[in-house]
Amino acid sequence: EAPDHGMAALGLGQCLQFQGRPGEALPWFEKTIEKLEAMPGSAPPVLGMAYFGAAAARLAMGSPGEALSDSQAAARIWRKAGAPVLQQAQAHGQAAAILEQLGLTAQALQQQDSVATLLQDASPAHPGLWKVYFDQARLYLQQGDLEKARRQGQRALEHSQAHIPNNDFEVDILFLMGRSSRYLGDTTGYRTAYAQALGRLEEMEARSAGNANILYRLGVSAYHLRQDE
């Protein structure tokens, strides 16, 4: 028999979501929301979890507009309830990803700014900050704000190097910085970024023994370094 208790429904929805079955998970998230909103004094953090789960399910099902509404509800509920900083940051990060998918870059940047503020308040050395700075850099690049894109890329790189040993994603940061520099007409910055990326990729290739993606990106780096010679 299907569970009637809100927490049981939430747990079932989360299990189905983890199994990659968002269409089956969504009704249980909705059931949790319905039950908890009808209960005076119900735990707001749990209600936020239900909205967050519903947003993830709707996004996986190709409904980003509806997902955004649920994600914003989760962020609002968790903020009002004084939920843990990381939980609030997770909701804002989810909203940013949805807004980016909808092409609303400026609003996505606002959400990423909220994530950065929350994580910085938790700890300036938080290991997740490099990814926030990188996502901000990507969004600035999409907007055509090349200086901000390069600046946030540098910030992401410095934070990663200081707090995340052997972070292979630094190659993606360097690629972004290389593109930004090229569009700005900064040949030195462009070549420096791709030379650093090439060095990191050679290290990764030595460890991976022929990973196709790494080999492809080695070729990309080498190609860019041959330009303007």
Side-chain angles (χ1 to χ4, degrees), residues 105 109 134-150 152 172 175-184:
T105 308
L109 269 168
F134 176 62
D135 286 337
Q136 289 174 322
R138 286 192 309 97
L139 292 167
Y140 282 129
L141 188 60
Q142 290 177 30
Q143 285 189 324
D145 196 332
L146 303 177
E147 285 288 4
K148 285 186 178 179
R150 186 164 62 171
Q152 284 304 100
D172 298 293
F175 272 22
L176 181 146
M177 292 173 66
R179 288 196 301 274
S180 300
S181 295
R182 185 175 180 85
Y183 297 151
L184 285 165

Side-chain angles (χ1 to χ4, degrees), residues 37-99:
E37 286 189 336
M39 294 169 52
S42 61
V46 177
L47 181 58
M49 290 170 63
Y51 273 110
F52 184 84
R58 293 188 200 279
L59 188 60
M61 294 167 63
S63 299
E66 294 179 17
L68 179 61
S69 177
D70 285 335
S71 185
Q72 290 173 331
R76 183 175 60 252
I77 290 166
W78 281 338
R79 181 174 61 252
K80 186 176 180 179
V85 164
L86 295 183
Q87 204 168 34
Q88 295 185 53
Q90 193 176 22
H92 285 289
Q94 183 188 62
I98 296 169
L99 287 161

Side-chain angles (χ1 to χ4, degrees), residues 13 90 119 176 215 217:
Q90 193 176 22
L119 294 184
L176 181 146
L215 291 171
R217 296 205 290 172

Side-chain angles (χ1 to χ4, degrees), residues 5-25:
H5 189 276
M7 282 297 295
L10 174 63
L12 181 55
Q14 290 174 328
C15 288
L16 290 166
Q17 182 81 342
F18 292 149
Q19 291 175 9
R21 297 155 66 184
E24 297 173 64

